[in-house]
Amino acid sequence: MDILAYLAQGFVVATEPQHLMLALIGCALGTLLGALPGLGPVNGVALMIPLTFNFDLAPTAALILLVSIYYGCMYGGRISSILLNIPGDEPAMMTTMDGYPMALKGRAGEALGLTGVASFVGATVATIGLTLFAPLLVGFAIRFGPAEYFALFMLAFATIGGVTSGSLSKSFVAACLGLLLGTVGIDAVSSVPRFTFGWFEIYDGIDFIVALVGLFAISECLVFLEDIRHSNKPTMKLGSAIPGMRTAWTCAPTITRSSFIGFIAGVLPGAGAALGSFLSYTLEKRWLGRRGDFGNGDPRGVAAPEAGNNAAAGGALIPMLSLGIPGSGTTAILLALLLSMNITPGPLLFQQQPEMVWGLVAALFIGNLMLLVLNIPLVGLFARVLRAPGWFLMPMVVMVAFVGVYSLGNSAFDLYMMLGFGVLGYVLRKLEIPTVPVVLGLLLGGQMEYNLRRAMAISGGDWDILWNSGISVGIYAFAITLISAGLVYGWLVRQRRIDAG
């Protein structure tokens, strides 16, 4: 009852005219920023922080604005993923797997509408979890040490073959390439430069946003140029903007499962929305098996990552508010904002600043509803991007990519790096090697290595620490089960092909 009373007080704060207006502005801006390749929630929130100081916003008002932008960016990342096969940010990578094939089949409007609903459900589940289960889930997250995190990342890479519908060996090669690229830069433990070749610009490692834009946006433009010479791209139709009852009924269990998976991934500090999106997609694909058509425009392949990444975005707020530990890059920026306002997140925050905390929670409910109301009617507007001629659209994509990447660090080197990854992505696509595992390896590999090194330092080099806890053993057992199931399924498919032949 205390929680409901606090939440009621929070709605009183959140429904103040100024706060409602800031939430609406944040949702609209966030959707726009999230749709631009290379920006995403981290850069979107970072760009808006100066405005909170310029307009002298109170802490509650500033948080409502920035968190609304955060949620809006998570919604907006799906737009370019579905329409252009270019993810707006790293969590939206998985949406390209089935979102773009749906667009090619004339179901772009349906895909956008479905992702709007899935995002709403995932974010709502996360906000309810934040309201009811924050202390319990924080206690669970505290039990994760370096060994447990290493096991969690091992689980992610154990399911790497489920990311694409192509060859498992090619997916493995792509993941290894990503892991190799993830070792570039200063070693976090020994502070020794690795594979930098004297280039100071990559001492901090390869920026995965630069790699993401290059592998997807630039390579897509190169493929488009090739298609102009050799063939015409299929004409895309918008289709209905509202998912049919059959599609909604089929996707409902997927959205529910993925929301909980993403929420748990978001609560774990450092895991973030990318892991939530990835696990939601791969585990759903494993769960459905032959009942799904993942990679070829299955609506459940669109609903799963969108529900997962939006649930993870909300879940990441729990360790930030309750422990003062950022659960993602965006919450790290929000943490810096709070500290700059002399507010220290932690276990006492809910007691010392109840008006701000519960006002923020209530604003999340309101902002999530605003995003649903804003996005569903605008599906037709977003989908009309498909009608823009390629000779006009692709130069605009390149321009946005260059501006977005250059704005990250005002570095021309980043532009050359982006072009290099664009050529790499083009070559990989010609060899039919998936590019998504490359980015996942680059994105998750650094944290995986860092946690392995920390675990070994704690144990004095004893490898037993990696499987000494029940949590680690459970995660490894789950990973082995998934790998075994995939191998058995592949063997059965090959046997049936032999028998049919």
Side-chain angles (χ1 to χ4, degrees), residues 241-427:
I242 306 299
M245 288 298 296
R246 182 177 179 182
T247 300
W249 179 260
T250 303
C251 292
T254 294
I255 293 173
T256 303
R257 287 190 292 266
S258 299
S259 296
F260 284 102
I261 292 171
F263 180 51
I264 293 172
V267 170
L268 301 174
L275 184 61
S277 172
F278 172 61
L279 287 179
S280 297
Y281 183 90
T282 54
L283 295 180
E284 190 64 22
K285 183 177 180 181
R286 296 287 189 185
W287 174 266
L288 292 173
R290 289 183 295 171
R291 292 175 292 163
D293 190 26
F294 283 67
N296 297 308
D298 193 316
R300 290 166 294 189
V302 174
E306 284 301 310
N309 70 40
N310 282 272
L317 292 171
I318 290 179
M320 191 272 285
L321 292 173
S322 300
L323 296 176
I325 300 174
S328 64
T330 310
T331 53
I333 295 175
L334 294 175
L335 176 63
L337 173 70
L338 288 176
L339 293 175
S340 68
M341 294 181 170
N342 296 319
I343 297 173
T344 304
L348 298 179
L349 182 64
F350 284 77
Q351 299 176 13
Q352 296 174 348
Q353 301 279 349
E355 180 179 310
M356 184 192 72
V357 173
W358 292 105
L360 174 63
V361 172
L364 292 177
F365 282 107
I366 295 172
N368 199 28
L369 184 59
M370 284 181 176
L371 283 166
L372 182 66
V373 174
L374 281 174
N375 279 267
I376 294 298
L378 292 177
V379 162
L381 177 63
F382 295 144
R384 280 176 174 75
V385 174
L386 291 172
R387 291 181 174 173
W391 57 264
F392 172 79
L393 189 59
M394 284 304 164
M396 292 296 293
V397 170
V398 173
M399 182 186 73
V400 170
F402 270 77
V403 171
V405 168
Y406 187 77
S407 66
L408 294 177
N410 298 324
S411 170
F413 183 85
D414 287 344
L415 299 179
Y416 293 124
M417 182 71 70
M418 177 189 69
L419 292 174
F421 272 103
V423 174
L424 174 62
Y426 174 78
V427 172

Side-chain angles (χ1 to χ4, degrees), residues 125-152:
V125 168
T127 308
I128 293 173
L130 173 63
T131 305
L132 300 178
F133 306 117
L136 177 64
L137 289 170
V138 167
F140 175 71
I142 291 176
R143 298 171 66 90
F144 271 66
E148 287 76 18
Y149 275 112
F150 177 77
L152 186 66

Side-chain angles (χ1 to χ4, degrees), residues 57 167 195 256 335 423 447:
L57 295 179
S167 168
F195 308 112
T256 303
L335 176 63
V423 174
Q447 285 294 319

Side-chain angles (χ1 to χ4, degrees), residues 94 97 150-176 179 261 265 274-287 294 434 436-438 440-441 444 448 474-487:
M94 308 312 300
M97 305 300 296
F150 177 77
L152 186 66
F153 286 117
M154 283 292 290
L155 171 64
F157 282 102
T159 60
I160 199 75
V163 174
T164 65
S165 299
S167 168
L168 177 62
S169 60
K170 289 184 177 180
S171 296
F172 179 74
V173 169
C176 289
L179 289 171
I261 292 171
L275 184 61
S277 172
F278 172 61
L279 287 179
S280 297
Y281 183 90
T282 54
L283 295 180
E284 190 64 22
K285 183 177 180 181
R286 296 287 189 185
W287 174 266
F294 283 67
V436 171
V438 177
L440 288 171
L444 304 179
M448 182 179 178
I475 294 174
Y476 287 131
F478 188 41
I480 292 171
T481 301
L482 289 176
I483 295 173
S484 302
L487 293 174

